[in-house]
Amino acid sequence: MQHPVLFEMVVFGGALAATLAWHLGVGRHQDAKRLAALKAARLATAGAAPDAPAAPIAPGAAPSDVVAGAAVAAPAVMVPAIATPAVAAATTSTPTTTEPETQRGDDLHRPRRNDMVLKNILVHLDGGPRTAERLALAVRIAARNQARLTGVFGQLAEAHRVGVVAEWPPAAYATAAAESRDAFSRIAGSLADAEWVDLNRGGEDEIMHRLGQLACYSDLTVLGQHEDAGRRLAPAELATHVCSASGRPVLVVPYAGHFPDVGRRPMFAWSETAGAARALADGLALTSPDAEALLLYAYERNLRSEFAERAVSLLKSHGVTAQFEPFALEDETMMDVLLNFASDHGADLMTLGLTGSVGLSLFDRGRPKPTLRELTVPVLCAC
């Protein structure tokens, strides 16, 4: 019974020895020859002219006859040319400079600021006196970014009723819409790509819902600040709703003051929340290259974060130099702190998160929350 097992062991050992001998001897020599042939073929292919046609495969040639790594000519397929429709839109790429110093490898490591590019901007329009102010600012931002601008007209109105029959739009709404369209064409006429849209709704919920939907398709939405004392043309919570419904940045222009541009002296209201982080990132697209920025970090006493100053490094990595201002809250309200620092800095832009407790979670410990109605500078808010 032991002889067959011994015989099998001897046969297996002999086969193993033969295999090793083949790979270490003749087989290894043949593998080296094939490897040298492959290298030579690849070098020959790399040295050929880039536009030289690949050699056709002879009819009936087997795949093994083709050298590995060489380009194989596929059968030519006649594909009809498809004419790309012309689109009247501003260019979406930033012109690249051809100066010699910008072509050096060192420039690849220089910090860039506007990683977030604004190419689609929406501005809300109504019949109020502040519409021209925010429209002019939106046009300036669109022109600087070569962006498409969409003006959306929508204001509160009630349908005209004759008995029990309601007619829409009422004459006052139609007149205001026509005037808005004419003003938009006049002010935004210098842009390469601009569009005027009528929400064609007068109810508060409908305006907020439809404008929130349109904001989803924009990189930035420009709205006006609500004024309690003025004529009520738009929903009071329009800016907050559009920001939360669309998830896109919203620039709120105050109802008082003149703001021809933003981003020269930005103030970043910082806290370790999702809203503040998004607002800071979105604010980079509006920040000037030579901006004098301020990063305000207000915190409850004895609750200062050890990581807060890293936000300055974050801005610096995007080419923005900012002064770090930590402030320990005691008897001050958050709104007082924001307004005081914005005034002292001469801010023309403030970033503010609206998630959680207005993006400033450490400030919501028995203190009133800041609201967009009280701020006196353009505010870029994010949710």
Side-chain angles (χ1 to χ4, degrees):
M1 297 295 297
Q2 296 180 356
H3 295 289
V5 175
L6 180 61
F7 177 75
E8 291 178 359
M9 292 178 63
V10 171
V11 172
F12 177 77
L16 180 61
T19 302
L20 291 174
W22 169 263
H23 285 288
L24 296 177
V26 178
R28 185 173 182 180
H29 178 68
Q30 293 185 358
D31 288 342
K33 292 177 62 178
R34 285 197 297 269
L35 181 60
L38 286 173
K39 289 182 178 180
R42 288 172 181 169
L43 289 175
T45 303
D51 53 353
I57 303 176
S64 58
D65 295 333
V66 182
V67 179
V72 180
V77 179
M78 298 300 295
V79 180
I82 302 176
T84 304
V87 180
T91 177
T92 57
S93 60
T94 304
T96 55
T97 178
T98 57
E99 296 180 3
E101 57 269 21
T102 61
Q103 306 301 323
R104 298 176 304 185
D106 294 343
D107 291 281
L108 298 176
H109 305 286
R110 291 183 180 178
R112 298 189 306 133
R113 189 191 81 256
N114 291 339
D115 297 331
M116 193 274 191
V117 181
L118 301 178
K119 290 302 176 185
N120 289 278
I121 299 174
L122 183 149
V123 57
H124 174 243
L125 311 172
D126 56 36
R130 294 294 294 178
T131 296
E133 180 74 23
R134 63 176 175 270
L135 175 56
L137 178 58
V139 168
R140 184 172 183 84
I141 296 173
R144 182 167 57 240
N145 291 273
Q146 299 180 341
R148 171 184 175 82
L149 179 65
T150 302
V152 180
F153 176 79
Q155 69 179 32
L156 299 174
E158 293 184 1
H160 176 67
R161 290 185 176 274
V162 180
V164 295
V165 179
E167 296 181 356
W168 181 266
Y173 182 95
T175 300
E179 293 175 352
S180 172
R181 182 176 59 249
D182 294 341
F184 181 81
S185 300
R186 182 176 64 258
I187 299 175
S190 60
L191 298 177
D193 192 3
E195 177 189 15
W196 183 88
V197 177
D198 184 4
L199 281 184
N200 198 26
R201 294 293 188 275
E204 182 168 327
D205 292 340
E206 292 175 323
I207 289 176
M208 291 197 299
H209 175 67
R210 291 169 72 85
L211 193 59
Q213 286 182 321
L214 285 173
C216 294
Y217 303 94
S218 299
D219 299 321
L220 176 70
T221 299
V222 183
L223 302 177
Q225 184 185 40
H226 178 72
E227 183 181 7
D228 294 326
R231 179 188 171 194
R232 193 164 178 264
L233 296 174
E237 302 300 326
L238 182 61
T240 304
H241 173 80
V242 170
C243 183
S244 61
S246 66
R248 308 299 293 160
V250 172
L251 180 64
V252 182
V253 183
Y255 59 75
H258 179 53
F259 305 96
D261 204 353
V262 295
R264 181 65 182 82
R265 296 187 65 83
M267 186 179 88
F268 300 91
W270 178 247
S271 65
E272 294 168 320
T273 60
R278 293 192 190 103
L280 183 146
D282 294 334
L284 293 172
L286 293 174
T287 303
S288 300
D290 56 346
E292 299 177 23
L294 175 71
L295 190 135
L296 173 63
Y297 172 62
Y299 60 95
E300 290 286 348
R301 191 174 183 180
N302 300 325
L303 291 176
R304 175 171 175 170
S305 170
E306 60 179 306
F307 305 118
E309 201 165 354
R310 295 177 69 90
V312 177
S313 300
L314 172 62
L315 291 172
K316 187 176 181 180
S317 66
H318 289 274
V320 178
T321 302
Q323 177 184 351
F324 182 64
E325 284 288 350
F327 186 87
L329 292 170
E330 293 183 357
D331 298 329
E332 302 84 1
T333 65
M334 187 57 216
M335 180 52 60
D336 289 337
V337 173
L338 288 176
L339 293 178
N340 288 338
F341 274 93
S343 177
D344 293 343
H345 182 60
D348 59 5
L349 175 68
M350 179 191 302
T351 67
L352 186 66
L354 297 184
T355 52
S357 53
V358 198
L360 305 167
S361 59
L362 296 181
F363 308 143
D364 188 30
R365 301 179 183 275
R367 303 179 186 274
K369 302 177 184 179
T371 64
L372 296 175
R373 301 188 191 185
E374 302 174 77
L375 297 172
T376 57
V377 300
V379 179
L380 182 74
C381 53
C383 295

